[in-house]
Amino acid sequence: MSKLDDLIFDNRFIRELPADEETINNRRQVIGACYSRVKPTPVVNPQRVAYSREVAELLDLTTDACEADDFTQAFAGNSLIAGMDPYATCYGGHQFGNWAGQLGDGRAINLGEIVNKKGERWAIQLKGAGPTPYSRTADGLAVLRSSVREFLCSEAMYHLGVPTTRALSLMLTGENVIRDMFYDGNPKAEPGAVVCRVAPSFTRFGNFQILTARRDIALLKKLVDYTIRTDFPHLGEPSPAVYMTWFTEVCRRTAEMIVHWQRVGFVHGVMNTDNMSILGLTIDYGPYGWLENYDPNWTPNTTDAEQRRYRFGNQPQIAFWNLGQLANAIYPLIEQVEPFQEALAVYTETFEQGWQAMMAGKLGLNAFNKPTDDDLCTELIVLLQLVETDMTIFYRQLAKVAINPEPLSTEFDYDAALNLLAAAYYVPEQITPEYKTRLTIWLKHYSQRVQNDCTPDTKRQQQMNAVNPKYVLRNYLAQLAIDKAEQGDFAMVNELLELLRQPYDEQPDKEKFAAKRPDWARQRAGCSMLSCSS
């Protein structure tokens, strides 16, 4: 018997919430329901590209099970195993700040909810498995290009310690999909693919918003009660007081997630309210990117190129705005403004405290001391922008700077520090005498601050390297893996998956993957700019 047949499906979401009465899979407005039943579209020649052994373990799946043909068939959408009852969920959302009405799972199909041997609930979902009632004018499919990015980044973020949905598998479909990557009238055929995503829940802010927008308050209450009982059972039985405790926890979790994004230099790219997880997980890896040269105004999303609403430096403010829209959605259950204001204040406080602790960690300080460290961090952020500075490499090199060596030397070596940091700069010609002077002054203040902590260099380096990754899924690395995968070579996809399992370790034999963005990638599509097309 295949291990797949041992999976225990609970499917509580569809057992306890109302279904769409229409069963035909045609595009439509779905009223009075939280989901529509829909089956994945079979594909001609599914092929496994990669799978995550850690996610397989969450589902109690063995390596043999993951490498069997029935695994490939099931998670490409060709077959349903016992207990699967597939469906797509109904939600709305604000897109780029504007209410967009019904959106829903347009190319995601939930296969069901598994309860593993530990009693943990895991929803499994196929992305790119065909149209649903929510696909609007799209085909419900995905291409290999975007699917490689989603698969790798889901797992990379987990190993970085960032709250995230996970990815079990990546399959080729054997079929081509037509995509106009930049919406410029130049469509082309690309290899189709399906990613299997895994999370305790895929519920989004937009699931609640659509119900309030339609004034279906009875169903709104039912969905909120279900969410609390299923995903937040520690809060107790739903009630108006528990609703506010729940919303406050969502605010806190969201703030903690955003702090992690800022720590590692992740730019989501499309922080619409329908892409915000009620669990505070990073969800929907579309036109995301990683900061290479530190630029808080950068966004990888070409759709947002002019407004830059979702730029790196604006992510904390956007998350706050999105929480405000969620507050508006659940307001009818409370009908009091002040509790929501207090909960939103918790977001602000959690983010501020988290950001301070995060910066203290990145700089190897024992704790954030506001009187000295506000200015220290403010000046550093300015310095990082004055010249093209690789954020990831800068912090790893800063950890190597000798400040409290053993035995203690008598004088701080500024030249040695500057030489170490030089590895982080993209354009050496930008390092002017004025910049060097300003950086030297900052290094002086930084060294004094570290000396006040009396932390030996070896310990400080360990502390810094535990929060400042050496390896991230650099945009150009993902693109190189995509280029090879599109030619049928999946080795680099799996090599990056393995590399990113230990992003904080040195891994000397993998040093090339820590290199700065090469010049060829500066303006190449997929490396510096992406679209929502997938």
Short mmCIF file of all heavy atoms in Angstrom, two decimals, residues 456-511:
data_model
loop_
_atom_site.label_atom_id
_atom_site.label_comp_id
_atom_site.label_asym_id
_atom_site.label_seq_id
_atom_site.Cartn_x
_atom_site.Cartn_y
_atom_site.Cartn_z
N PRO A 456 33.05 39.69 23.51
CA PRO A 456 34.21 39.26 22.71
C PRO A 456 33.82 39.11 21.24
O PRO A 456 32.67 38.77 20.91
CB PRO A 456 34.59 37.91 23.33
CG PRO A 456 33.97 37.92 24.69
CD PRO A 456 32.73 38.73 24.59
N ASP A 457 34.77 39.33 20.35
CA ASP A 457 34.48 39.28 18.92
C ASP A 457 33.92 37.94 18.47
O ASP A 457 33.02 37.87 17.63
CB ASP A 457 35.74 39.59 18.12
CG ASP A 457 36.03 41.09 18.06
OD1 ASP A 457 35.13 41.88 18.42
OD2 ASP A 457 37.15 41.47 17.68
N THR A 458 34.44 36.86 19.03
CA THR A 458 33.96 35.54 18.61
C THR A 458 32.48 35.38 18.92
O THR A 458 31.71 34.86 18.10
CB THR A 458 34.76 34.43 19.30
OG1 THR A 458 34.78 34.67 20.72
CG2 THR A 458 36.19 34.40 18.78
N LYS A 459 32.07 35.84 20.09
CA LYS A 459 30.66 35.73 20.49
C LYS A 459 29.79 36.67 19.65
O LYS A 459 28.71 36.30 19.20
CB LYS A 459 30.49 36.04 21.97
CG LYS A 459 29.05 35.90 22.46
CD LYS A 459 28.93 36.18 23.95
CE LYS A 459 27.49 36.05 24.42
NZ LYS A 459 27.34 36.37 25.87
N ARG A 460 30.28 37.89 19.42
CA ARG A 460 29.52 38.85 18.61
C ARG A 460 29.32 38.33 17.19
O ARG A 460 28.23 38.43 16.62
CB ARG A 460 30.25 40.20 18.57
CG ARG A 460 29.55 41.27 17.70
CD ARG A 460 30.28 42.60 17.76
NE ARG A 460 31.67 42.48 17.32
CZ ARG A 460 32.07 42.60 16.05
NH1 ARG A 460 31.18 42.85 15.09
NH2 ARG A 460 33.34 42.48 15.73
N GLN A 461 30.38 37.74 16.63
CA GLN A 461 30.27 37.21 15.28
C GLN A 461 29.23 36.09 15.22
O GLN A 461 28.43 36.01 14.29
CB GLN A 461 31.61 36.70 14.78
CG GLN A 461 31.58 36.24 13.33
CD GLN A 461 32.96 35.93 12.77
OE1 GLN A 461 33.94 35.96 13.50
NE2 GLN A 461 33.04 35.64 11.49
N GLN A 462 29.25 35.22 16.22
CA GLN A 462 28.26 34.14 16.27
C GLN A 462 26.84 34.70 16.35
O GLN A 462 25.93 34.22 15.66
CB GLN A 462 28.54 33.23 17.47
CG GLN A 462 29.79 32.38 17.32
CD GLN A 462 30.13 31.63 18.59
OE1 GLN A 462 29.52 31.84 19.65
NE2 GLN A 462 31.14 30.77 18.52
N GLN A 463 26.67 35.73 17.19
CA GLN A 463 25.34 36.33 17.34
C GLN A 463 24.88 36.98 16.04
O GLN A 463 23.72 36.81 15.62
CB GLN A 463 25.38 37.39 18.46
CG GLN A 463 25.56 36.81 19.86
CD GLN A 463 25.76 37.89 20.91
OE1 GLN A 463 26.14 39.02 20.61
NE2 GLN A 463 25.51 37.54 22.16
N MET A 464 25.77 37.69 15.39
CA MET A 464 25.40 38.37 14.14
C MET A 464 25.12 37.37 13.02
O MET A 464 24.16 37.53 12.26
CB MET A 464 26.51 39.35 13.73
CG MET A 464 26.67 40.53 14.68
SD MET A 464 28.05 41.64 14.25
CE MET A 464 27.43 42.39 12.73
N ASN A 465 25.95 36.35 12.93
CA ASN A 465 25.78 35.37 11.85
C ASN A 465 24.55 34.49 12.05
O ASN A 465 24.13 33.79 11.12
CB ASN A 465 27.03 34.51 11.71
CG ASN A 465 28.18 35.28 11.09
OD1 ASN A 465 28.01 36.40 10.62
ND2 ASN A 465 29.37 34.69 11.12
N ALA A 466 23.98 34.51 13.25
CA ALA A 466 22.76 33.74 13.51
C ALA A 466 21.51 34.46 13.02
O ALA A 466 20.45 33.84 12.88
CB ALA A 466 22.63 33.45 15.00
N VAL A 467 21.62 35.77 12.73
CA VAL A 467 20.45 36.53 12.27
C VAL A 467 20.67 37.19 10.91
O VAL A 467 19.72 37.62 10.26
CB VAL A 467 20.02 37.60 13.29
CG1 VAL A 467 19.59 36.96 14.60
CG2 VAL A 467 21.15 38.60 13.54
N ASN A 468 21.93 37.27 10.49
CA ASN A 468 22.28 37.83 9.19
C ASN A 468 22.66 36.69 8.25
O ASN A 468 23.76 36.14 8.37
CB ASN A 468 23.45 38.81 9.31
CG ASN A 468 23.10 40.04 10.13
OD1 ASN A 468 22.04 40.62 9.97
ND2 ASN A 468 24.00 40.42 11.04
N PRO A 469 21.80 36.30 7.33
CA PRO A 469 22.11 35.13 6.50
C PRO A 469 23.28 35.38 5.57
O PRO A 469 23.52 36.51 5.12
CB PRO A 469 20.81 34.92 5.71
CG PRO A 469 20.16 36.27 5.68
CD PRO A 469 20.51 36.90 7.00
N LYS A 470 23.99 34.32 5.28
CA LYS A 470 25.02 34.40 4.24
C LYS A 470 24.39 34.12 2.87
O LYS A 470 24.80 34.70 1.87
CB LYS A 470 26.14 33.40 4.50
CG LYS A 470 27.17 33.41 3.38
CD LYS A 470 28.51 32.86 3.80
CE LYS A 470 29.53 33.02 2.68
NZ LYS A 470 30.89 32.65 3.08
N TYR A 471 23.40 33.22 2.87
CA TYR A 471 22.78 32.81 1.61
C TYR A 471 21.30 33.15 1.61
O TYR A 471 20.57 32.77 2.54
CB TYR A 471 22.95 31.31 1.40
CG TYR A 471 24.39 30.86 1.33
CD1 TYR A 471 25.01 30.32 2.46
CD2 TYR A 471 25.13 31.00 0.17
CE1 TYR A 471 26.33 29.91 2.42
CE2 TYR A 471 26.46 30.59 0.12
CZ TYR A 471 27.06 30.05 1.25
OH TYR A 471 28.37 29.65 1.20
N VAL A 472 20.87 33.88 0.61
CA VAL A 472 19.45 34.10 0.36
C VAL A 472 19.18 33.74 -1.09
O VAL A 472 20.11 33.54 -1.88
CB VAL A 472 19.03 35.57 0.64
CG1 VAL A 472 19.19 35.90 2.12
CG2 VAL A 472 19.81 36.54 -0.23
N LEU A 473 17.90 33.65 -1.44
CA LEU A 473 17.54 33.29 -2.81
C LEU A 473 17.66 34.53 -3.69
O LEU A 473 16.67 35.14 -4.07
CB LEU A 473 16.13 32.71 -2.86
CG LEU A 473 15.68 32.17 -4.23
CD1 LEU A 473 16.57 31.04 -4.71
CD2 LEU A 473 14.22 31.72 -4.17
N ARG A 474 18.90 34.87 -3.98
CA ARG A 474 19.14 36.06 -4.80
C ARG A 474 18.38 35.93 -6.12
O ARG A 474 18.27 34.84 -6.68
CB ARG A 474 20.63 36.25 -5.04
CG ARG A 474 21.40 36.64 -3.78
CD ARG A 474 22.89 36.77 -4.03
NE ARG A 474 23.60 37.20 -2.83
CZ ARG A 474 23.81 38.47 -2.49
NH1 ARG A 474 23.35 39.44 -3.28
NH2 ARG A 474 24.46 38.79 -1.39
N ASN A 475 17.91 37.07 -6.60
CA ASN A 475 17.07 37.07 -7.79
C ASN A 475 17.76 36.40 -8.98
O ASN A 475 17.16 35.64 -9.73
CB ASN A 475 16.67 38.51 -8.13
CG ASN A 475 16.15 39.24 -6.91
OD1 ASN A 475 15.33 38.72 -6.17
ND2 ASN A 475 16.63 40.45 -6.67
N TYR A 476 19.04 36.66 -9.13
CA TYR A 476 19.74 36.09 -10.29
C TYR A 476 19.96 34.58 -10.12
O TYR A 476 19.99 33.84 -11.12
CB TYR A 476 21.07 36.82 -10.54
CG TYR A 476 22.23 36.43 -9.66
CD1 TYR A 476 23.08 35.40 -10.02
CD2 TYR A 476 22.50 37.11 -8.47
CE1 TYR A 476 24.16 35.04 -9.23
CE2 TYR A 476 23.57 36.77 -7.68
CZ TYR A 476 24.41 35.74 -8.06
OH TYR A 476 25.48 35.39 -7.26
N LEU A 477 20.10 34.11 -8.88
CA LEU A 477 20.25 32.66 -8.67
C LEU A 477 18.97 31.93 -9.06
O LEU A 477 19.02 30.87 -9.71
CB LEU A 477 20.59 32.38 -7.20
CG LEU A 477 21.96 32.84 -6.71
CD1 LEU A 477 22.10 32.55 -5.22
CD2 LEU A 477 23.08 32.17 -7.49
N ALA A 478 17.83 32.49 -8.65
CA ALA A 478 16.55 31.88 -9.02
C ALA A 478 16.42 31.83 -10.54
O ALA A 478 15.97 30.83 -11.11
CB ALA A 478 15.39 32.65 -8.40
N GLN A 479 16.84 32.92 -11.21
CA GLN A 479 16.70 32.97 -12.66
C GLN A 479 17.62 31.95 -13.35
O GLN A 479 17.23 31.32 -14.33
CB GLN A 479 16.99 34.37 -13.18
CG GLN A 479 16.67 34.56 -14.66
CD GLN A 479 15.22 34.24 -14.99
OE1 GLN A 479 14.31 34.70 -14.30
NE2 GLN A 479 15.00 33.45 -16.04
N LEU A 480 18.83 31.77 -12.84
CA LEU A 480 19.72 30.77 -13.41
C LEU A 480 19.13 29.37 -13.28
O LEU A 480 19.22 28.55 -14.20
CB LEU A 480 21.08 30.83 -12.71
CG LEU A 480 21.98 32.03 -13.04
CD1 LEU A 480 23.22 32.02 -12.16
CD2 LEU A 480 22.36 32.04 -14.52
N ALA A 481 18.51 29.10 -12.12
CA ALA A 481 17.87 27.80 -11.92
C ALA A 481 16.70 27.62 -12.87
O ALA A 481 16.47 26.52 -13.41
CB ALA A 481 17.42 27.65 -10.47
N ILE A 482 15.95 28.70 -13.09
CA ILE A 482 14.82 28.65 -14.03
C ILE A 482 15.32 28.38 -15.45
O ILE A 482 14.77 27.53 -16.16
CB ILE A 482 14.03 29.98 -13.97
CG1 ILE A 482 13.30 30.10 -12.62
CG2 ILE A 482 13.05 30.09 -15.13
CD1 ILE A 482 12.79 31.49 -12.32
N ASP A 483 16.37 29.09 -15.85
CA ASP A 483 16.91 28.89 -17.21
C ASP A 483 17.27 27.43 -17.44
O ASP A 483 16.98 26.87 -18.51
CB ASP A 483 18.15 29.78 -17.41
CG ASP A 483 17.83 31.27 -17.45
OD1 ASP A 483 16.65 31.62 -17.63
OD2 ASP A 483 18.77 32.07 -17.28
N LYS A 484 17.90 26.81 -16.46
CA LYS A 484 18.31 25.41 -16.61
C LYS A 484 17.10 24.48 -16.58
O LYS A 484 17.02 23.52 -17.36
CB LYS A 484 19.31 25.04 -15.53
CG LYS A 484 20.65 25.73 -15.69
CD LYS A 484 21.66 25.26 -14.66
CE LYS A 484 23.03 25.91 -14.89
NZ LYS A 484 24.06 25.42 -13.95
N ALA A 485 16.16 24.77 -15.68
CA ALA A 485 14.98 23.91 -15.57
C ALA A 485 14.16 23.93 -16.84
O ALA A 485 13.59 22.91 -17.25
CB ALA A 485 14.13 24.34 -14.37
N GLU A 486 14.10 25.09 -17.50
CA GLU A 486 13.34 25.17 -18.74
C GLU A 486 13.99 24.35 -19.85
O GLU A 486 13.34 24.04 -20.86
CB GLU A 486 13.20 26.64 -19.17
CG GLU A 486 12.23 27.41 -18.26
CD GLU A 486 12.06 28.86 -18.67
OE1 GLU A 486 12.96 29.40 -19.36
OE2 GLU A 486 11.03 29.46 -18.31
N GLN A 487 15.26 23.99 -19.67
CA GLN A 487 15.96 23.12 -20.62
C GLN A 487 15.95 21.66 -20.16
O GLN A 487 16.62 20.81 -20.75
CB GLN A 487 17.40 23.60 -20.80
CG GLN A 487 17.51 25.02 -21.34
CD GLN A 487 16.81 25.21 -22.66
OE1 GLN A 487 16.95 24.39 -23.57
NE2 GLN A 487 16.05 26.30 -22.78
N GLY A 488 15.21 21.38 -19.07
CA GLY A 488 15.10 20.02 -18.58
C GLY A 488 16.14 19.62 -17.56
O GLY A 488 16.22 18.45 -17.18
N ASP A 489 16.95 20.58 -17.10
CA ASP A 489 17.99 20.30 -16.11
C ASP A 489 17.54 20.86 -14.75
O ASP A 489 17.53 22.06 -14.54
CB ASP A 489 19.30 20.96 -16.55
CG ASP A 489 20.44 20.72 -15.57
OD1 ASP A 489 20.21 20.10 -14.51
OD2 ASP A 489 21.56 21.19 -15.84
N PHE A 490 17.18 19.97 -13.83
CA PHE A 490 16.64 20.39 -12.54
C PHE A 490 17.69 20.40 -11.43
O PHE A 490 17.36 20.63 -10.26
CB PHE A 490 15.49 19.47 -12.11
CG PHE A 490 14.45 19.27 -13.19
CD1 PHE A 490 13.89 18.02 -13.40
CD2 PHE A 490 14.06 20.32 -14.01
CE1 PHE A 490 12.94 17.82 -14.40
CE2 PHE A 490 13.11 20.13 -15.01
CZ PHE A 490 12.55 18.88 -15.20
N ALA A 491 18.94 20.18 -11.79
CA ALA A 491 19.99 20.04 -10.77
C ALA A 491 20.14 21.31 -9.94
O ALA A 491 20.29 21.24 -8.71
CB ALA A 491 21.32 19.68 -11.44
N MET A 492 20.08 22.47 -10.57
CA MET A 492 20.31 23.70 -9.81
C MET A 492 19.13 24.01 -8.89
O MET A 492 19.32 24.56 -7.79
CB MET A 492 20.58 24.88 -10.73
CG MET A 492 21.03 26.12 -9.98
SD MET A 492 21.62 27.43 -11.07
CE MET A 492 22.03 28.69 -9.83
N VAL A 493 17.91 23.66 -9.29
CA VAL A 493 16.77 23.83 -8.40
C VAL A 493 17.01 23.05 -7.11
O VAL A 493 16.85 23.58 -6.00
CB VAL A 493 15.46 23.36 -9.07
CG1 VAL A 493 14.31 23.35 -8.06
CG2 VAL A 493 15.11 24.24 -10.25
N ASN A 494 17.44 21.81 -7.25
CA ASN A 494 17.67 20.98 -6.07
C ASN A 494 18.92 21.41 -5.30
O ASN A 494 18.97 21.29 -4.08
CB ASN A 494 17.75 19.52 -6.48
CG ASN A 494 16.37 18.94 -6.80
OD1 ASN A 494 15.61 18.62 -5.90
ND2 ASN A 494 16.05 18.82 -8.09
N GLU A 495 19.92 21.91 -6.02
CA GLU A 495 21.13 22.40 -5.35
C GLU A 495 20.81 23.63 -4.50
O GLU A 495 21.28 23.75 -3.35
CB GLU A 495 22.20 22.74 -6.38
CG GLU A 495 23.55 23.09 -5.76
CD GLU A 495 24.63 23.31 -6.80
OE1 GLU A 495 24.31 23.49 -7.99
OE2 GLU A 495 25.82 23.30 -6.41
N LEU A 496 19.99 24.53 -5.02
CA LEU A 496 19.60 25.71 -4.24
C LEU A 496 18.72 25.31 -3.06
O LEU A 496 18.83 25.87 -1.96
CB LEU A 496 18.86 26.71 -5.13
CG LEU A 496 19.71 27.46 -6.15
CD1 LEU A 496 18.84 28.35 -7.03
CD2 LEU A 496 20.79 28.31 -5.46
N LEU A 497 17.84 24.35 -3.27
CA LEU A 497 17.00 23.86 -2.16
C LEU A 497 17.88 23.36 -1.03
O LEU A 497 17.63 23.65 0.16
CB LEU A 497 16.08 22.75 -2.67
CG LEU A 497 15.16 22.11 -1.63
CD1 LEU A 497 14.17 23.12 -1.08
CD2 LEU A 497 14.42 20.92 -2.27
N GLU A 498 18.92 22.62 -1.36
CA GLU A 498 19.84 22.10 -0.35
C GLU A 498 20.65 23.23 0.29
O GLU A 498 20.80 23.29 1.52
CB GLU A 498 20.79 21.08 -0.98
CG GLU A 498 21.70 20.38 0.01
CD GLU A 498 20.96 19.54 1.02
OE1 GLU A 498 19.90 18.97 0.69
OE2 GLU A 498 21.42 19.48 2.20
N LEU A 499 21.17 24.14 -0.51
CA LEU A 499 21.95 25.27 0.00
C LEU A 499 21.16 26.07 1.02
O LEU A 499 21.67 26.44 2.09
CB LEU A 499 22.35 26.18 -1.17
CG LEU A 499 22.97 27.53 -0.80
CD1 LEU A 499 24.46 27.37 -0.57
CD2 LEU A 499 22.69 28.58 -1.88
N LEU A 500 19.91 26.35 0.70
CA LEU A 500 19.10 27.27 1.49
C LEU A 500 18.54 26.62 2.74
O LEU A 500 17.85 27.28 3.53
CB LEU A 500 17.99 27.85 0.62
CG LEU A 500 18.51 28.72 -0.55
CD1 LEU A 500 17.41 29.00 -1.55
CD2 LEU A 500 19.13 30.01 -0.03
N ARG A 501 18.87 25.36 2.95
CA ARG A 501 18.50 24.70 4.21
C ARG A 501 19.37 25.19 5.37
O ARG A 501 18.96 25.08 6.53
CB ARG A 501 18.63 23.17 4.08
CG ARG A 501 17.53 22.54 3.26
CD ARG A 501 17.61 21.01 3.28
NE ARG A 501 16.38 20.43 2.78
CZ ARG A 501 16.27 19.78 1.62
NH1 ARG A 501 17.34 19.63 0.86
NH2 ARG A 501 15.11 19.28 1.24
N GLN A 502 20.56 25.70 5.06
CA GLN A 502 21.46 26.23 6.09
C GLN A 502 21.93 27.63 5.69
O GLN A 502 23.11 27.83 5.40
CB GLN A 502 22.67 25.30 6.29
CG GLN A 502 22.36 23.98 6.94
CD GLN A 502 22.12 22.88 5.93
OE1 GLN A 502 22.64 22.90 4.83
NE2 GLN A 502 21.32 21.90 6.32
N PRO A 503 21.02 28.60 5.66
CA PRO A 503 21.38 29.92 5.12
C PRO A 503 22.36 30.70 5.98
O PRO A 503 22.99 31.64 5.48
CB PRO A 503 20.03 30.64 5.05
CG PRO A 503 19.19 29.99 6.12
CD PRO A 503 19.61 28.54 6.10
N TYR A 504 22.52 30.32 7.25
CA TYR A 504 23.41 31.07 8.14
C TYR A 504 24.79 30.43 8.26
O TYR A 504 25.69 31.02 8.85
CB TYR A 504 22.77 31.19 9.54
CG TYR A 504 21.44 31.91 9.50
CD1 TYR A 504 20.24 31.21 9.53
CD2 TYR A 504 21.39 33.30 9.42
CE1 TYR A 504 19.02 31.87 9.47
CE2 TYR A 504 20.18 33.97 9.37
CZ TYR A 504 19.00 33.25 9.40
OH TYR A 504 17.80 33.93 9.33
N ASP A 505 24.94 29.23 7.70
CA ASP A 505 26.22 28.53 7.77
C ASP A 505 27.15 28.98 6.64
O ASP A 505 26.70 29.38 5.57
CB ASP A 505 26.01 27.02 7.70
CG ASP A 505 25.24 26.48 8.89
OD1 ASP A 505 25.02 27.25 9.86
OD2 ASP A 505 24.82 25.30 8.85
N GLU A 506 28.46 28.83 6.85
CA GLU A 506 29.42 29.28 5.86
C GLU A 506 29.37 28.45 4.57
O GLU A 506 29.49 28.99 3.47
CB GLU A 506 30.84 29.24 6.45
CG GLU A 506 31.13 30.39 7.40
CD GLU A 506 31.09 31.75 6.71
OE1 GLU A 506 31.48 31.84 5.52
OE2 GLU A 506 30.68 32.72 7.35
N GLN A 507 29.26 27.12 4.69
CA GLN A 507 29.23 26.23 3.53
C GLN A 507 30.33 26.61 2.51
O GLN A 507 30.03 27.08 1.40
CB GLN A 507 27.85 26.28 2.84
CG GLN A 507 26.69 25.92 3.77
CD GLN A 507 25.38 25.76 3.03
OE1 GLN A 507 25.24 24.89 2.17
NE2 GLN A 507 24.41 26.60 3.35
N PRO A 508 31.59 26.42 2.86
CA PRO A 508 32.70 26.89 2.01
C PRO A 508 32.65 26.41 0.57
O PRO A 508 33.05 27.13 -0.35
CB PRO A 508 33.94 26.33 2.73
CG PRO A 508 33.51 26.15 4.15
CD PRO A 508 32.07 25.75 4.09
N ASP A 509 32.12 25.21 0.33
CA ASP A 509 32.06 24.69 -1.03
C ASP A 509 30.94 25.33 -1.86
O ASP A 509 30.82 25.07 -3.05
CB ASP A 509 31.89 23.17 -1.02
CG ASP A 509 30.62 22.74 -0.28
OD1 ASP A 509 30.22 23.44 0.68
OD2 ASP A 509 30.04 21.71 -0.67
N LYS A 510 30.13 26.19 -1.20
CA LYS A 510 29.02 26.85 -1.90
C LYS A 510 29.23 28.36 -1.98
O LYS A 510 28.29 29.11 -2.24
CB LYS A 510 27.69 26.55 -1.18
CG LYS A 510 27.38 25.08 -1.02
CD LYS A 510 27.14 24.40 -2.36
CE LYS A 510 26.71 22.95 -2.17
NZ LYS A 510 26.53 22.26 -3.46
N GLU A 511 30.44 28.80 -1.78
CA GLU A 511 30.74 30.24 -1.68
C GLU A 511 30.23 31.03 -2.88
O GLU A 511 29.82 32.19 -2.74
CB GLU A 511 32.26 30.43 -1.54
CG GLU A 511 32.68 31.82 -1.12
CD GLU A 511 32.45 32.10 0.36
OE1 GLU A 511 32.43 31.14 1.16
OE2 GLU A 511 32.27 33.28 0.70
#
